Amino acid sequence: MAAKVSVKSKNGKVRRAIVVGGGLAGLMTVIKLCEAGIPVDLISLVPVKRSHSVCAQGGINASVNLKGEGDSPQIHMEETCLGGDFLANQPPVKSMADAAPGIVFMLDRMGVPFNRTPEGNLDFRRFGGTLFHRTAFSGATTGQQLLYALDEQVRRYETVDVTDDKGVTIPGEKMVRKFEFWDVCDLVIDDDGIVRGVVAQDLKTSEIRSFVGDAVCLATGGVGMVYGRSTNSVINTGSAAAVAYRRGAYYANGEFIQVHPTAIPGADKLRLISESVRGEGGRVWVPRDQNDKRKGKDIPEKERYYFLEERYPAYKNLVPRDIASREIFKTVVHEGYHTRPGVRAAFLDVTHLAKTPAAKHALRNKLEGVLEIYEKFAGEDPYENPMEIFPAVHYSMGGLWVGFEKNDRGGMKMGSPANAQTNLPGLFATGEADYEYHGANRLGANSLLSCIWGGMITGPAMASWRESVKGSAFDMDEGVFEKSAKRAREEFETYFKRTGSEFNENPFKIHDELAEEMLVKVTVERKNNELDGVIAKIGELNERFDKCAVLDTTPTGKMNQPAVFLRHLRGMLDLAEVIVRGARARDENRGAHYKPIFDPERQEAKDYTGEGAGKGRDDENWQKTTKAQYVGPKSAPKLSYEAVDVSLVKPRARVYKQASMDAAKGSLGASKEEPKGDVKAEAKPATT
Amino acid sequence: MAQETVTLKIKRGAGTGESTWEEFSVPLSPNANVISCLMEIRKNPVTKGGQSTTPVSWDSCCLEEVCGACTMVINGRARQACSTMINGPHGIAKSGETITIEPMTKFPRVRDLVVDRSKMFDALKRVKAWIQIDGSHELGAGPRVSPKDQEIMYPLSRCMTCGCCVESCPNYNDHSPFIGPFAISLVRMYNMHPSGKMHAGERLDSIMSEGGIADCGKAQNCVKVCPKAIPLTESIAVMGRETLKRALFGWLLK
Ligand SMILES: Cc1cc2nc3c(=O)[nH]c(=O)nc-3n(C[C@H](O)[C@H](O)[C@H](O)COP(=O)(O)OP(=O)(O)OC[C@H]3O[C@@H](n4cnc5c(N)ncnc54)[C@H](O)[C@@H]3O)c2cc1C
Ligand code: SF4
Ligand code: SF4
Ligand code: FES
């Protein structure tokens, strides 16, 4: 599908689109734009090949059904909606699940070395929240392999010339121009409110300039650094999303932060131990005797408490992440179990899978990358000793609000400019930076899928937008662009005036304080009085931010990391406020968002005298998307709410305790018969 | 008990400007690594001698040795700072000892420990390190691949362009056009793939010209330092045979 409009603007410039971020979502968007004949400027904080997507270990979901289990995209869609506790709009989920098998085939054609069956077919493993083998994988570094495959395709476009409408090469213009080590720090918005470009800073030289684009996409990933230590890469400060939010884009469902059940506690990072370890048969347990000082491997079977298996006989160790995290948290923090006295951790055990050399070889083949991380960073051999793990902040279900257009089959209409577009016209968002597919909780291996699918719809949406937009940004007065760049330059320069004795705060320490507060009070369990405390603390940190010193006034202008960090810190303070305010307001339990007063099994609920004690999920009042809008510096965001489109799968209680696979399949299949259209949500409490 | 510390001795400077060494004393915490120490320094940028200074600039991203960003020369060896543990069984220093940290030498320095590795990415362009697909639209299942071939290709695909191999290679430097062992190894991978094979000749040609495989002196340094244990010298040997075949019989095969 070639673009119908000319590749050149009226005054003869090449009309480019801008994609910010070169993770899976950004790269896929670039590929789709190039296939539509649209040249792209790709801007990224780090060389795109080092983007955070490389961290993904476990795999990517697609109901290809190569194991003869009767899996289908329909079931995938239903399980994703259920896993997300019915907070995701269902048409986008349907389209994603339908496209998934084709996506995995495409990746395979691009040369991803997926694991294979003896017959040479793709192999699939099990992940949380499903009973099917639905996850394709490439060793234990699937994200790395997928990112490299897309990176290579984009690199190919770096060598392809742009041609004009008659097919003649335009000298010096390539389909993709990469700007790596550039930090996007503002948007260019014209008088009609249309986004026409971005402002970015070259980190190597500190130069700030604007970029012109006929459509702009933010594919800038998650926000884990708001919590300091998480499973995320250190660049995941959410800075670009914060920029868009400051300029008026809605930030949706910020309060839904996924805490992954199994990570290695660490000083600088909480390194993930992938769910695939449990998918391959890893078991979670604690010693029954809380005073047991023996090493895990020396504790006999009957003295081990496999609490997930006992509490969830059907899904066992593969219950969805929010549930597993909460159970581990409860067992260790509230019930006092641990791996050994004084250590806050549970065991994740694969030693039973490595009893013979052959079994060990097979396990290594599937999980080497993951187990290697444990061995390297914890200094113990996971084939010999059970691993010590604890939950860690992992993924943001929330993100920039984006729209979609429905088709007559109940999915998304491909090529509609409404898809993936934020409320700022001309600004698109995709990947972990958006809020679209995962509702209140993401199922394992669904993110790589949503990132690539996101790119597949965002590219065509941007192409349509570019066709219909009034006037090209490339024909606009350059003054608009220069004005935005100048404002960003001036702000950056004010940092260098922060040198007197009154600037006595260290921004890295302010970040530590923010992170500590968020980690303790805004993760697995949330209490309203504590959230009020966090809000007050953020207010205090905002004041102290104004007293932060720049730390580095070297006039060389080369790579001034502390000054750039000030900008990112300001964004993190804004996003933290969005997360906490959203959590404070949402009085119910749904997916990753959990308040003990609404859990009928908790003492807190019994003691609670306010309204709705122990009510669980509250569909009547809360089956809606949170939208946070920036009001001004140091002010609370304005929260508004939007109904969720549940036209395909009728909301029901989220139970993972069923006894058999047939029961699970049956109950899911049943919803197929539900009438399409506006099904009224039932207000059923969640029981788990 | 006195706080246990280690000393980080860091080579600093920007661009082609002069270099200076600064020492920092950092408290030892459990499971500390070189990055966590650099993070400590920026929270309190004061040298061991009590001088206030600027925080050290460094490059990092994943902190789990999979992105390749944080390569630096630590105690004389190029490796990832994030997975270089200070203490514990793989630790490099005991309390009171000094760790020396320098930027890699084979790339232009940006600032302190940050270097510009663009030329590694340029090498990937030169060798056409990609599969030529018809498009990203649906075209059905990909080609079948035997588990045996997958077991060869997967390790090759884990190269994270970190630069350790070229830092250690005597034939890779500013004045030589040598593309480096990592790029040759990736040619091997793409040339094995069932559809990548269809363009094997082009990739072979790209490593048979100046700066290609002939520039490797078989010193075998690279394979010893690759953090992902990529069989670089094996790849070079395989590609050596392939390029030789093409040089001798290429006109027949075409
Ligand atoms: C340890 C770990 C394991 C995971 N495993 C799995 C798994 O097995 N399966 C699964 O489905 N999901 C997994 N996930 C989740 C998944 O990896 C991520 O959600 C996904 O990779 C995000 O991709 P993305 O393209 O949205 O963003 P990213 O890959 O994070 O890329 C963001 C890009 O934006 C750029 N950027 C950011 N800010 C700016 C700025 N201000 N200016 C310019 N550029 C900017 C960055 O440079 C980068 O290129 C895992 C996550 C983690 C942390
Ligand atoms: S074998 Fe030696 S010369 Fe050849 S690439 Fe490796 S280190 Fe360089
Ligand atoms: S081959 Fe090994 S050492 Fe060389 S860049 Fe790749 S991962 Fe690094
Ligand atoms: S930070 Fe990614 S390899 Fe060290």
Side-chain angles (χ1 to χ4, degrees):
Chain A
M1 183 189 61
K4 282 186 224 93
V5 294
S6 170
V7 75
K8 280 193 179 169
S9 71
K10 285 201 191 98
N11 65 15
K13 292 193 190 132
V14 171
R15 296 184 63 188
R16 290 181 171 270
I18 295 173
V19 174
V20 185
L24 289 173
L27 293 175
M28 194 64 226
T29 306
V30 172
I31 293 170
K32 282 293 180 191
L33 284 166
C34 288
E35 287 181 347
I38 301 173
V40 186
D41 279 349
L42 171 55
I43 307 175
S44 171
L45 260 179
V46 293
V48 298
K49 203 178 171 182
R50 310 200 193 284
S51 294
H52 169 64
S53 289
V54 292
C55 289
Q57 304 169 353
I60 177 166
N61 284 339
S63 295
V64 185
N65 189 34
L66 290 186
K67 301 263 181 199
E69 297 169 330
D71 194 10
S72 71
Q74 174 72 19
I75 302 177
H76 184 187
M77 187 262 293
E78 293 174 7
E79 288 184 339
T80 302
C81 295
L82 174 72
D85 229 348
F86 299 100
L87 196 64
N89 289 312
Q90 296 175 353
V93 178
K94 173 180 164 52
S95 292
M96 172 176 86
D98 285 345
I103 287 175
V104 168
F105 290 151
M106 172 198 76
L107 293 165
D108 192 22
R109 288 195 290 115
M110 287 178 178
V112 173
F114 283 117
N115 280 50
R116 300 282 162 172
T117 63
E119 202 182 319
N121 289 314
L122 296 170
D123 198 3
F124 287 82
R125 60 161 56 124
R126 255 191 78 200
F127 247 63
T130 185
L131 297 169
F132 296 98
H133 288 79
R134 187 185 289 151
T135 307
F137 60 103
S138 183
T141 57
T142 311
Q144 185 188 30
Q145 266 53 59
L146 301 195
L147 186 83
Y148 289 1
L150 298 188
D151 172 64
E152 287 144 10
Q153 296 299 322
V154 169
R155 186 166 294 108
R156 179 157 72 98
Y157 280 114
E158 278 187 275
T159 67
V160 174
D161 296 316
V162 179
T163 53
D164 69 13
D165 307 328
K166 299 194 189 74
V168 179
T169 301
I170 303 174
E173 296 276 355
K174 299 286 178 193
M175 285 305 285
V176 172
R177 297 195 300 203
K178 272 190 196 152
F179 295 85
E180 295 175 322
F181 288 114
W182 283 76
D183 183 22
V184 166
C185 52
D186 206 350
L187 302 176
V188 180
I189 303 180
D190 72 10
D191 293 340
D192 297 328
I194 300 176
V195 175
R196 298 292 194 169
V198 300
V199 177
Q201 179 169 39
D202 181 352
L203 298 177
K204 288 193 283 197
T205 63
S206 298
E207 176 204 347
I208 292 177
R209 58 164 270 209
S210 50
F211 289 76
V212 187
D214 271 340
V216 176
C217 171
L218 300 183
T220 47
V223 302
M225 289 311 286
V226 169
Y227 289 82
R229 289 177 306 152
S230 73
T231 64
N232 284 196
S233 294
V234 291
I235 59 167
N236 289 14
T237 61
S239 59
V243 161
Y245 166 68
R246 277 217 164 199
R247 290 279 168 242
Y250 295 129
Y251 197 91
N253 287 346
E255 64 267 34
F256 292 95
I257 295 286
Q258 178 164 82
V259 175
H260 194 287
T262 61
I264 318 169
D268 51 339
K269 176 173 185 176
L270 308 175
R271 294 177 177 85
L272 181 78
I273 295 296
S274 166
E275 193 165 295
S276 53
V277 170
R278 283 171 289 136
E280 297 297 341
R283 304 174 77 186
V284 175
W285 60 277
V286 283
R288 287 197 188 272
D289 175 3
Q290 299 187 352
N291 293 317
D292 207 321
K293 294 191 184 60
R294 287 174 291 183
K295 280 196 97 107
K297 66 173 178 182
D298 299 326
I299 298 174
E301 192 64 18
K302 63 177 191 313
E303 294 174 42
R304 300 174 173 194
Y305 179 19
Y306 293 98
F307 54 95
L308 288 176
E309 297 175 23
E310 285 187 22
R311 294 173 197 169
Y312 300 91
Y315 286 79
K316 298 194 173 79
N317 294 289
L318 282 175
V319 285
R321 294 178 175 175
D322 54 328
I323 296 174
S325 288
R326 227 147 32 227
E327 292 293 350
I328 295 173
F329 192 85
K330 186 170 104 189
T331 308
V332 174
V333 177
H334 296 309
E335 296 171 4
Y337 291 97
H338 38 228
T339 51
R340 54 201 154 101
V343 175
R344 238 190 201 197
F347 284 125
L348 172 59
D349 195 347
V350 294
T351 56
H352 59 287
L353 302 169
K355 287 270 187 263
T356 65
K360 191 169 163 179
H361 176 80
L363 189 65
R364 204 185 276 279
N365 220 0
K366 288 179 166 169
L367 294 176
E368 188 168 6
V370 182
L371 299 178
E372 194 177 74
I373 288 177
Y374 190 81
E375 138 97 283
K376 209 160 253 164
F377 292 96
E380 279 222 332
D381 180 357
Y383 298 98
E384 290 289 320
N385 287 299
M387 299 176 270
E388 289 187 327
I389 51 88
F390 197 69
V393 168
H394 183 55
Y395 181 85
S396 170
M397 274 73 72
L400 291 169
W401 181 90
V402 291
F404 64 91
E405 186 178 337
K406 235 164 137 164
N407 66 15
D408 48 17
R409 290 181 309 283
M412 271 170 127
K413 190 171 164 201
M414 200 65 177
S416 163
N419 293 340
Q421 190 160 186
T422 68
N423 57 311
L424 303 182
L427 182 70
F428 296 74
T430 190
E432 193 171 337
D434 76 27
Y435 89 110
E436 274 237 78
Y437 303 93
H438 308 293
N441 170 62
R442 169 175 74 87
L443 290 187
N446 258 355
S447 171
L448 298 182
L449 174 63
S450 67
C451 287
I452 295 176
W453 165 247
M456 289 191 150
I457 57 144
T458 307
M462 290 169 78
S464 307
W465 166 260
R466 179 171 166 277
E467 274 178 39
S468 61
V469 68
K470 193 180 80 190
S472 167
F474 290 88
D475 288 330
M476 281 172 53
D477 177 20
E478 283 177 18
V480 182
F481 297 94
E482 183 43 35
K483 204 171 96 194
S484 303
K486 189 161 167 261
R487 187 172 55 197
R489 258 178 236 133
E490 281 167 3
E491 192 197 321
F492 193 68
E493 276 154 23
T494 63
Y495 294 162
F496 293 92
K497 303 202 177 91
R498 295 165 169 249
T499 52
S501 58
E502 69 270 37
F503 296 102
N504 53 7
E505 296 281 0
N506 177 308
F508 299 106
K509 284 190 185 150
I510 299 264
H511 180 219
D512 270 4
E513 283 186 45
L514 171 70
E516 182 62 22
E517 195 80 357
M518 295 295 289
L519 259 185
V520 176
K521 296 173 185 160
V522 203
T523 49
V524 180
E525 293 187 357
R526 296 155 177 200
K527 299 178 180 141
N528 282 338
N529 59 341
E530 288 187 355
L531 296 176
D532 288 335
V534 181
I535 291 170
K537 179 76 184 183
I538 294 173
E540 176 207 316
L541 294 175
N542 268 319
E543 295 299 328
R544 286 167 57 197
F545 175 82
D546 293 340
K547 297 203 177 65
C548 278
V550 65
L551 299 182
D552 186 349
T553 53
T554 321
T556 59
K558 277 200 193 287
M559 186 146 284
N560 191 322
Q561 291 178 334
V564 171
F565 185 75
L566 277 175
R567 194 165 58 217
H568 285 224
L569 176 60
R570 195 194 61 190
M572 286 191 276
L573 286 164
D574 282 347
L575 293 179
E577 177 114 27
V578 168
I579 294 168
V580 183
R581 294 271 180 183
R584 177 65 181 85
R586 188 175 280 275
D587 266 341
E588 66 156 348
N589 287 351
R590 186 184 294 270
H593 173 73
Y594 171 91
K595 293 180 176 174
I597 51 173
F598 299 122
D599 179 349
E601 289 176 21
R602 288 284 291 262
Q603 190 56 39
E604 286 91 333
K606 290 165 194 146
D607 297 341
Y608 185 61
T609 53
E611 212 177 302
K615 69 179 175 178
R617 189 176 89 200
D618 177 357
D619 285 352
E620 204 173 322
N621 295 306
W622 286 105
Q623 190 161 287
K624 48 195 185 188
T625 301
T626 308
K627 289 161 88 175
Q629 192 182 5
Y630 183 72
V631 178
K634 298 176 190 171
S635 317
K638 182 166 162 266
L639 299 181
S640 58
Y641 295 92
E642 182 179 277
V644 178
D645 182 333
V646 288
S647 50
L648 300 170
V649 190
K650 188 174 165 189
R652 58 184 171 82
R654 192 162 161 255
V655 190
Y656 286 94
K657 292 186 177 175
Q658 285 105 324
S660 77
M661 185 151 170
D662 286 346
K665 277 189 197 168
S667 73
L668 281 165
S671 59
K672 263 188 232 164
E673 269 67 65
E674 295 297 343
K676 302 257 155 75
D678 256 346
V679 179
K680 184 120 182 59
E682 284 181 342
K684 252 195 211 160
T687 51
T688 54
Chain B
M1 194 176 72
Q3 169 74 276
E4 300 202 319
T5 61
V6 287
T7 297
L8 265 61
K9 184 177 171 204
I10 300 174
K11 191 177 193 174
R12 306 200 55 182
T16 49
E18 254 176 57
S19 304
T20 51
W21 290 90
E22 279 183 351
E23 292 194 353
F24 301 88
S25 177
V26 182
L28 258 183
S29 57
N31 287 339
N33 59 54
V34 169
I35 300 274
S36 72
C37 291
L38 292 170
M39 287 175 168
E40 282 304 315
I41 293 174
R42 71 181 180 189
K43 283 178 214 161
N44 182 26
V46 175
T47 65
K48 207 172 168 184
Q51 291 286 318
S52 268
T53 181
T54 53
V56 180
S57 288
W58 77 89
D59 200 356
S60 69
C61 187
C62 70
L63 301 194
E64 53 191 54
E65 202 194 81
V66 67
C67 79
C70 67
T71 316
M72 35 189 103
V73 179
I74 301 167
N75 286 345
R77 187 180 138 205
R79 54 192 297 186
Q80 278 65 55
C82 67
S83 58
T84 302
M85 307 305 284
I86 308 293
N87 36 23
H90 306 298
I92 58 163
K94 292 191 189 57
S95 178
E97 291 183 349
T98 296
I99 301 164
T100 310
I101 306 177
E102 301 161 79
M104 280 190 283
T105 59
K106 300 285 172 83
F107 306 99
R109 174 174 66 178
V110 178
R111 184 165 178 193
D112 294 345
L113 303 170
V114 184
V115 296
D116 182 351
R117 279 168 280 186
S118 306
K119 70 178 185 182
M120 291 186 79
F121 296 114
D122 290 341
L124 297 181
K125 269 186 226 161
R126 168 170 162 179
V127 302
K128 301 187 184 352
W130 52 71
I131 305 281
Q132 189 98 25
I133 59 166
D134 290 346
S136 64
H137 51 289
E138 284 207 32
L139 280 171
R144 290 203 182 183
V145 175
S146 72
K148 206 174 100 245
D149 283 354
Q150 191 271 348
E151 281 186 37
I152 297 174
M153 287 190 279
Y154 173 67
L156 303 180
S157 76
R158 292 180 70 197
C159 168
M160 53 185 184
T161 337
C162 70
C164 289
C165 55
V166 295
E167 177 70 19
S168 76
C169 170
N171 293 3
Y172 191 91
N173 53 49
D174 277 0
H175 1 278
S176 123
F178 183 38
I179 53 172
F182 69 99
I184 299 171
S185 183
L186 284 173
V187 169
R188 176 184 178 205
M189 182 180 89
Y190 290 104
N191 283 8
M192 266 188 84
H193 185 271
S195 32
K197 260 190 195 127
M198 299 172 193
H199 304 92
E202 288 170 42
R203 287 189 209 94
L204 289 178
D205 288 343
S206 79
I207 59 169
M208 287 163 74
S209 48
E210 198 200 359
I213 192 164
D215 282 15
C216 161
K218 318 243 165 15
Q220 310 225 349
N221 296 4
C222 52
V223 73
K224 290 178 206 138
V225 296
C226 173
K228 296 291 140 188
I230 295 173
L232 293 168
T233 41
E234 183 188 300
S235 290
I236 292 168
V238 173
M239 286 297 99
R241 284 197 297 276
E242 296 291 316
T243 48
L244 184 64
K245 254 195 268 171
R246 187 164 175 82
L248 294 176
F249 310 114
W251 55 277
L252 273 179
L253 298 173
K254 267 275 152 177

